[in-house]
Amino acid sequence: MVLIYSLVCLIKMKITNKILEKHGLNLDEFSKIKKILKREPNLLELGIFSAMWNEHCSYKSSRIHLKKLPTKGKQVIQGPGENAGVIDIGDDDAIVFKIESHNHPSYIEPYQGAATGVGGILRDVFTMGARPIALLNSIHFGDPRHPKTKSLLNGVVSGIGGYGNCIGIPTVAGETKFDETYNENILVNAMAVGHTKKNKIFYSKAKGLNKSVVYVGSKTGRDGIHGASMASAEFDENSEEKKPTVQVGDPFTEKLLMEACLELMKDSSIISIQDMGAAGLTSSSVEMASKGSLGIELDLEKVPCREENMTPYEMMLSESQERMLIILEDDKEKAAKKIFDKWDLDFVVIGKTTDTNNLTLKFNNKVEGEIPIDALASKAPIYDRKWVRKKTQRDKVNLKKLKKIKIEDALVKILSSPNQSNKSWITNQYDQMVMCNTAQMSGSDAAIIRIHNKDKAIAVSVDSSANYCKSFPLSGGKQIVCENWRNLISVGAKPLAITNCLNFGNPENEEIMGEFAECLEGIKEACEFLNYPVVSGNVSFYNGTNKKNISPTPVIGGVGLINKLSKPLDLILKNKKSNLFVIGKTFGHLEQSTYFKEIYSINEGMPPEVNLINEKNNGECLLKLIDKNLISSAHDISTGGLIIALAEMSINSHLGVKIKKPKRLTNLINYFFGEDQARYIVEIENKNLRNAEKIMLENNIFYENIGFTQENYFEIEGEMKIEVKELFKINNEWYNSY
């Protein structure tokens, strides 16, 4: 297909239905294009409209819903609309962060797809003037028994680790999940976090007339052409044919580009800067001009190319990696070029800003394309697609009719399952300590990154919960925000803001669009109540193959602040004979639980209720306990319920626990495996017990003493007793046999 485009790009030709289909445009959109241009577009112009009007770039099906999200707060410096979000953490320090998807490319070419996903999100961060300090990821694969899963898993993990390790940014946290809904469409979401000073934030808005538009970084190739359009369409049986649309990354060049850009940012040379991500030179130039209400003129014969005879079509739509577009102040070119020459990178003036409000494309002294900027950006189509609410099944599963299973047997089966098993074989492939600021790595509820030369730190976590969102999207949206909130609080951080990556199926399907709308409503409610604004994000639609869509999978990446980092709090039990408390009430909700799924293959019923008042009160109370140094360890209770959370604490610390039988809830399965929300397990030493209980009483939260720590054995009074080392073995056996 690329060859055809190369041959006909500069030839005046009739636009056929087949060509429109290849570009992901419908007849109605084509009519709008002709009306805007007052003529029929040439192929170059059609390709540019295709790139800017697809879902990946225009958010045409999601914009009306995204506008409802809370994006402001005292801590917010920059919300959605820039390359990344920015929050204030005090002392003139700012944190820049964002999460994005690279789902389709990673399914087609797992190593390069995942690697370039990491590279792209890093550029979003250092484009804002921040030095990246951490990487995270959320990756979802099909059933482990599916013939493609193992190779996809190995390729993606290698790609993430390969790129991050080579560029020297620690990959500190993430999640890996398996479910048959991702058999033909995996999810690879990458998050990057950077640190800068508040007065050193850079933006993409173009300013001034006749300013130099400079191309920097790697040369342009034919890789990644129509990558953005490919990401805005479902897969079919011919998905393998789309390999040429997958970009090829080079982390060593990205390292050079990052250092060169950060060096240039030390003075006042840059007016605006934009990463060449999805849609490449097209999106970067259009976005810069649109934000500045300017035009932009590009001389495409000046674009550095690594392949011969590249056409304007290919140059504008290539998604070759490690490239930036910069608008410079007058008389700054020479000094800027010197920097990029030092780092052995291309630095070429390829155009200028204009007052035309058009994107003007020249090639060999001839205008090959001219399009109004607004038509590509602010006035791109917006669809208010029809959607229907999810019909939820409110009938509870009758536990009495199910085959009885011992607590110990259920615990063993869940701990040895792919989703619950130890994932250190993945995280060990990532360099988590490079830069020497990682205070707490993956394995706890959140990773902790020390702010260089400061006593403070940030906590970061990513979370998703597709089964809750599939069952009841409104509740699922709230729940995943709350889980992320709890993960940050569990390490002693005050949650500040989130970024989200919203992975859904085909938005033209009313039910799927309903899942999206309701999930967004749930996210909105939780974020508003918790003062936890959304500062950046990404929407990934059309995740499916042959009309079979993935379950709705919104991923939340959260950032929290630890003002004084003395000793990081984690889930590792510290002492023998410490008291174990549960903060939050246990009701024993089993519908949509890991217990039902792993033990009985049941995915029925409603997810647990999300009480935002309890979430806020319980979380804030725990922060007070942590601030007073009354807590030795903490862990939020989520997937698998109370017993799985306890087992994780025990396994990671190699200490046992002895848990009392509950007095309130006599059904032990419900009590130990129920997934009620707003709960934490905390370890409290005897010397701190009185003061801790006083604070919990003063804050009017529900809590209960459930037992104590001990040596060697994981024990429930009168029900089960198993050696901790055996639990450790069970938790590691799935990967060893996979």
Side-chain angles (χ1 to χ4, degrees):
M1 195 65 198
V2 172
L3 179 61
I4 295 172
Y5 291 134
S6 299
L7 294 172
V8 303
C9 183
L10 297 177
I11 301 175
K12 190 174 181 179
M13 60 178 294
K14 183 72 176 175
I15 304 297
T16 64
N17 288 346
K18 188 175 181 180
I19 291 173
L20 286 177
E21 185 182 345
K22 292 290 184 182
H23 285 79
L25 293 165
N26 58 44
L27 288 172
D28 183 55
E29 290 171 336
F30 185 52
S31 295
K32 289 178 181 176
I33 292 169
K34 290 191 290 186
K35 188 175 180 180
I36 290 166
L37 297 178
K38 299 178 181 176
R39 58 177 170 82
E40 190 166 286
N42 61 33
L43 193 64
L44 170 62
E45 292 167 331
L46 189 78
I48 288 169
F49 272 105
S50 168
M52 295 305 297
W53 282 16
N54 63 53
E55 289 285 356
H56 196 76
C57 292
S58 74
Y59 296 91
K60 59 188 177 184
S61 297
S62 58
R63 267 195 280 174
I64 62 169
H65 298 283
L66 294 173
K67 288 179 180 179
K68 301 173 185 177
L69 294 173
T71 59
K72 300 182 184 296
K74 290 182 180 179
Q75 67 274 43
V76 178
I77 297 173
Q78 175 64 54
E82 270 292 342
N83 288 292
V86 188
I87 58 173
D88 187 346
I89 61 167
D91 305 316
D92 291 324
D93 292 310
I95 295 296
V96 180
F97 64 106
K98 189 182 183 183
I99 190 170
E100 276 199 343
S101 63
H102 228 224
N103 304 334
H104 290 66
S106 299
Y107 181 76
I108 297 168
E109 188 64 57
Y111 184 94
Q112 288 296 347
T116 52
V118 173
I121 199 63
L122 283 172
R123 289 194 300 279
D124 282 339
V125 167
F126 71 76
T127 301
M128 300 289 294
R131 178 170 290 280
I133 58 174
L135 287 163
L136 302 87
N137 56 77
S138 173
I139 51 181
H140 294 67
F141 299 92
D143 189 315
R145 296 164 295 185
H146 191 275
K148 290 185 179 180
T149 296
K150 184 180 284 189
S151 63
L152 288 168
L153 174 65
N154 289 334
V156 166
V157 171
S158 296
I160 291 170
Y163 205 101
N165 294 353
C166 288
I167 198 172
I169 310 296
T171 301
V172 297
E175 59 173 7
T176 304
K177 295 184 177 182
F178 301 90
D179 191 272
E180 63 182 9
T181 188
Y182 311 108
N183 278 352
E184 304 297 334
N185 197 123
I186 65 174
L187 301 182
V188 177
N189 294 180
M191 177 177 169
V193 184
H195 169 245
T196 189
K197 293 295 182 179
K198 289 195 294 184
N199 64 347
K200 282 294 182 180
I201 301 169
F202 291 80
Y203 300 95
S204 58
K205 181 179 178 180
K207 297 177 184 177
L209 296 177
N210 294 311
K211 301 294 185 182
S212 296
V213 178
V214 185
Y215 175 119
V216 301
S218 291
K219 289 180 170 47
T220 296
R222 290 189 170 99
D223 56 314
I225 294 174
H226 283 283
S229 298
M230 178 266 292
S232 302
E234 287 185 332
F235 284 150
D236 55 28
E237 62 276 359
N238 301 314
S239 60
E240 290 294 315
E241 296 176 5
K242 297 180 179 180
K243 281 190 177 183
T245 64
V246 179
Q247 311 90 335
V248 178
D250 179 357
F252 300 105
T253 300
E254 178 112 331
K255 172 67 172 175
L256 300 178
L257 180 63
M258 179 178 70
E259 296 300 340
C261 288
L262 293 175
E263 184 175 343
L264 182 62
M265 289 168 173
K266 290 179 181 178
D267 64 23
S268 56
S269 300
I270 296 174
I271 296 174
S272 65
I273 182 168
Q274 177 69 45
D275 159 45
M276 291 192 213
L281 187 53
T282 291
S283 63
S284 56
S285 56
V286 169
E287 288 171 13
M288 293 171 89
S290 174
K291 291 172 183 176
S293 300
L294 295 171
I296 195 163
E297 181 181 295
L298 301 178
D299 296 320
L300 296 179
E301 70 271 12
K302 296 179 180 179
V303 173
C305 295
R306 65 170 180 258
E307 299 182 49
E308 294 182 356
N309 301 316
M310 288 192 66
T311 66
Y313 184 100
E314 293 169 328
M315 294 176 196
M316 290 302 295
L317 297 181
S318 168
E319 294 185 7
S320 296
Q321 299 291 284
E322 295 87 38
R323 302 179 300 160
M324 293 280 190
L325 207 60
I326 301 175
I327 296 177
L328 288 174
E329 291 283 5
D330 296 335
D331 304 321
K332 295 291 186 178
E333 291 174 25
K334 187 176 180 181
K337 187 177 187 305
K338 188 176 180 180
I339 291 172
F340 283 86
D341 286 346
K342 182 182 77 172
W343 292 100
D344 197 25
L345 295 166
D346 278 303
F347 178 100
V348 183
V349 178
I350 65 168
K352 64 182 180 181
T353 59
T354 71
D355 62 357
T356 64
N357 293 110
N358 289 337
L359 174 67
T360 305
L361 303 173
K362 292 183 175 181
F363 189 68
N364 293 332
N365 296 315
K366 182 183 176 183
V367 175
E368 296 291 348
E370 189 150 22
I371 307 171
I373 291 288
D374 286 350
L376 297 171
S378 60
K379 294 182 180 178
I382 299 177
Y383 296 138
D384 186 2
R385 298 194 184 276
K386 292 182 179 179
W387 60 276
V388 295
R389 293 195 178 275
K390 179 77 174 183
K391 294 180 180 178
T392 56
Q393 180 185 339
R394 297 184 178 273
D395 295 334
K396 289 189 175 183
V397 177
N398 191 340
L399 194 61
K400 293 180 180 179
K401 292 184 177 181
L402 300 175
K403 183 180 178 182
K404 289 186 178 180
I405 183 170
K406 292 180 179 178
I407 290 176
E408 183 175 338
D409 293 341
L411 174 64
V412 167
K413 188 169 183 179
I414 292 172
L415 282 179
S416 60
S417 68
N419 280 319
Q420 210 61 50
S421 66
N422 186 357
K423 302 294 192 307
S424 60
W425 56 274
I426 292 177
T427 56
N428 287 343
Q429 296 182 56
Y430 307 148
D431 190 336
Q432 300 185 66
M433 296 303 296
V434 64
M435 300 179 75
C436 300
N437 286 318
T438 308
Q440 186 158 285
M441 302 186 295
S442 59
S444 271
D445 292 299
I448 298 175
I449 310 298
R450 187 182 296 103
I451 301 302
H452 194 61
N453 291 329
K454 297 286 181 70
D455 190 33
K456 62 184 178 183
I458 58 167
V460 289
S461 180
V462 291
D463 301 280
S464 65
S465 185
N467 59 320
Y468 288 178
C469 292
K470 183 69 175 177
S471 170
F472 190 15
L474 179 66
S475 182
K478 287 192 283 188
Q479 184 275 334
I480 198 58
V481 172
C482 292
E483 183 175 343
N484 185 265
W485 161 274
R486 291 196 301 273
N487 281 334
L488 299 181
I489 285 175
S490 295
V491 299
K494 179 184 178 183
L496 293 180
I498 69 166
T499 180
N500 57 34
C501 194
L502 308 172
N503 307 278
F504 288 78
N506 190 333
E508 298 164 50
N509 181 308
E510 292 182 6
E511 291 184 358
I512 289 170
M513 198 65 215
E515 292 173 346
F516 180 83
E518 290 196 86
C519 272
L520 260 289
E521 181 62 31
I523 292 171
K524 170 183 174 291
E525 285 185 28
C527 287
E528 284 180 342
F529 193 89
L530 299 173
N531 187 26
Y532 203 26
V534 182
V535 298
S536 60
N538 170 236
V539 177
S540 177
F541 278 135
Y542 295 98
N543 289 291
T545 300
N546 291 326
K547 310 298 180 182
K548 188 176 181 180
N549 296 281
I550 66 162
S551 293
T553 313
V555 176
I556 302 296
V559 176
L561 176 64
I562 302 173
N563 276 313
K564 290 186 179 181
L565 184 66
S566 52
K567 188 177 181 182
L569 190 69
D570 55 28
L571 55 74
I572 297 174
L573 300 169
K574 304 298 187 301
N575 305 289
K576 304 167 190 175
K577 296 185 178 180
S578 286
N579 300 280
L580 294 172
F581 279 75
V582 171
I583 291 176
K585 198 166 187 176
T586 299
F587 297 96
H589 187 99
L590 283 178
E591 277 72 34
Q592 296 299 327
S593 67
T594 297
Y595 176 82
F596 271 168
K597 184 176 177 63
E598 295 294 343
I599 306 302
Y600 301 107
S601 299
I602 293 175
N603 292 298
E604 298 174 9
M606 294 279 286
E609 178 189 355
V610 178
N611 187 313
L612 294 173
I613 296 174
N614 288 343
E615 287 285 1
K616 188 174 185 178
N617 291 346
N618 293 351
E620 290 180 348
C621 180
L622 179 53
L623 284 180
K624 292 176 183 178
L625 292 168
I626 295 169
D627 187 59
K628 298 291 185 181
N629 294 314
L630 300 174
I631 303 296
S632 301
S633 63
H635 190 20
D636 90 301
I637 302 173
S638 55
T639 304
L642 172 60
I643 195 168
I644 297 300
L646 283 166
E648 289 169 344
M649 297 177 83
S650 187
I651 290 168
N652 280 279
S653 61
H654 303 288
L655 268 179
V657 300
K658 187 170 184 177
I659 306 303
K660 300 176 287 188
K661 283 187 178 180
K663 295 179 181 179
R664 292 183 306 100
L665 195 63
T666 56
N667 190 314
L668 298 185
I669 293 294
N670 289 75
Y671 181 80
F672 285 111
F673 293 97
E675 296 184 6
D676 308 292
Q677 301 295 290
R679 294 185 298 159
Y680 306 82
I681 299 172
V682 295
E683 177 191 3
I684 303 174
E685 292 185 68
N686 286 325
K687 66 180 182 181
N688 295 323
L689 187 58
R690 185 174 177 180
N691 288 334
E693 287 198 275
K694 182 182 177 185
I695 289 173
M696 289 188 283
L697 285 168
E698 287 173 349
N699 284 269
N700 198 31
I701 66 165
F702 184 90
Y703 68 95
E704 58 182 332
N705 188 325
I706 62 168
F708 54 87
T709 58
Q710 63 178 14
E711 289 190 279
N712 301 328
Y713 289 97
F714 188 92
E715 183 178 359
I716 298 175
E717 203 173 57
E719 290 294 323
M720 62 163 286
K721 188 175 182 179
I722 185 170
E723 285 189 281
V724 175
K725 63 181 181 182
E726 183 64 21
L727 280 184
F728 180 89
K729 181 181 176 183
I730 290 164
N731 196 225
N732 282 273
E733 66 183 16
W734 176 77
Y735 174 70
N736 293 332
S737 63
Y738 189 51

